[in-house]
Amino acid sequence: MNQIKLPPFLKPGDRIGIVAPASVIKYEDILGGIDIFTNQWGLQVREGKTLKTAFNQFSASDDERRSDLQQMLDDPDINAIIAARGGYGCSRIVDELDFTRFLENPKWIVGFSDLTVLLSQVYNLGYVSLHAPMAKSITTYGGELAAESLRQLLFGEMPEYNVKPHILNREGEATATVVGGNLCILNHLTGSKTEIDLDGTILFIEDVSEYLYNLDRMMIQMKRAGKLANLAGLIVGQFTDMKDNKEPTFGKSANEIIQEHIAEYSYPVCFDFPVGHVGDNRAMGVGMQAKLTVSSESAGLQFLSTVPAFI
């Protein structure tokens, strides 16, 4: 793959699009996010049709969701596309999307959870995207730092994150391309056209509401598929609302399960990183270069300044 490029950074007055490419959204749930984008960040917002429609658990039919997103991808006046929410549905439409005009006028794609599908697709096309708060989640309690981190990356300011040490951390340093997202989705993409080559990267993972035995199965799948052996580093985010069998229990926590399956490798590992289905869900540049430093005192991730491909 060619060197990853950055879309143009935003500036006040730029126009962003908001769409719901996956699950249905209540329009009132994104009004706070729209207020942040417009009144605090000085952006113009174009609303997609899927923000006010519903089709069973989806925001609209596959064709309607694809068409709504396609219009935003094609529009040269849209500088970023921010998902309203995740849920499920992006993998149903990703193969029918046409990125021809996107490649002519690259723009930021922003989201997390199910949006890992689209972030991975954009990465394979050679462009950076943002695993970051969406229009609904950006107003989540405790998310002020996460919202600011998204603003920083969209406007060309490179953030640096520092977290407390964790007993399971593995010390070391790595400077490499950051990739990753929702662990379930990364497993789901294995073997598909949207699969990401993880060799030599700093991988970050997170998930929500999974059974612990299924987390174990996903880590085994990643390992058997050769996804864990050649990483430059690993960032373990938040695994929230995890479930366990009543009896007998699985016997390990989420972090302990992950640690077991990476124990034989030597790259640096940071646990309990602020990324995932939580308020403090820091923006991560998928495809950006960053330096991961893990020591006995702290762990840090510093995104490195780069120049956009199109100015």
Side-chain angles (χ1 to χ4, degrees), residues 98-118:
D98 184 349
F99 286 88
T100 302
R101 293 186 180 177
F102 168 86
L103 293 174
E104 295 171 354
N105 293 281
K107 59 198 70 182
W108 296 96
I109 308 296
V110 181
F112 72 103
S113 193
D114 192 62
L115 274 293
T116 299
V117 176
L118 295 182

Side-chain angles (χ1 to χ4, degrees), residues 17 22 32 50 84 86-87 97-98 103 139 151 170 201 206 211 249 254 287:
T50 49
L97 291 171
D98 184 349
L103 293 174
T139 55
R151 187 203 65 78
R170 187 159 59 215
T201 67
E206 63 83 29
Y211 274 93
T249 63

Side-chain angles (χ1 to χ4, degrees), residues 17-66:
I18 302 178
V19 293
S23 290
V24 65
I25 183 77
K26 293 180 181 178
Y27 180 69
E28 56 267 28
D29 287 347
I30 65 170
L31 293 178
I34 292 175
D35 180 69
I36 289 174
F37 303 143
T38 55
N39 294 324
Q40 295 186 28
W41 297 0
L43 300 171
Q44 302 179 59
V45 170
R46 179 171 296 170
E47 299 179 6
K49 297 178 181 178
T50 49
L51 302 181
K52 296 181 178 179
T53 59
F55 181 76
N56 298 322
Q57 77 172 58
F58 304 106
S59 66
S61 68
D62 289 352
D63 285 343
E64 290 168 325
R65 297 197 322 281
R66 180 202 55 76

Side-chain angles (χ1 to χ4, degrees), residues 151-182:
R151 187 203 65 78
Q152 288 178 319
L153 282 172
L154 283 174
F155 284 80
E157 304 169 25
M158 297 295 108
E160 180 176 356
Y161 309 139
N162 292 285
V163 298
K164 296 179 180 179
H166 191 281
I167 192 171
L168 296 178
N169 281 1
R170 187 159 59 215
E171 296 180 25
E173 291 186 359
T175 299
T177 301
V178 173
V179 297
N182 181 265

Side-chain angles (χ1 to χ4, degrees), residues 88-159:
Y88 171 65
C90 289
S91 60
R92 296 178 61 93
I93 64 173
V94 65
D95 289 335
E96 283 70 49
L97 291 171
D98 184 349
F99 286 88
T100 302
R101 293 186 180 177
F102 168 86
L103 293 174
E104 295 171 354
N105 293 281
K107 59 198 70 182
W108 296 96
I109 308 296
V110 181
F112 72 103
S113 193
D114 192 62
L115 274 293
T116 299
V117 176
L118 295 182
L119 306 186
S120 299
Q121 176 78 354
V122 170
Y123 175 80
N124 283 336
L125 290 171
Y127 281 90
V128 171
S129 59
L130 298 180
H131 181 282
M134 296 178 277
K136 177 183 177 181
S137 64
I138 198 169
T139 55
T140 302
Y141 177 77
E144 295 81 8
L145 291 176
E148 173 60 13
S149 70
L150 172 57
R151 187 203 65 78
Q152 288 178 319
L153 282 172
L154 283 174
F155 284 80
E157 304 169 25
M158 297 295 108

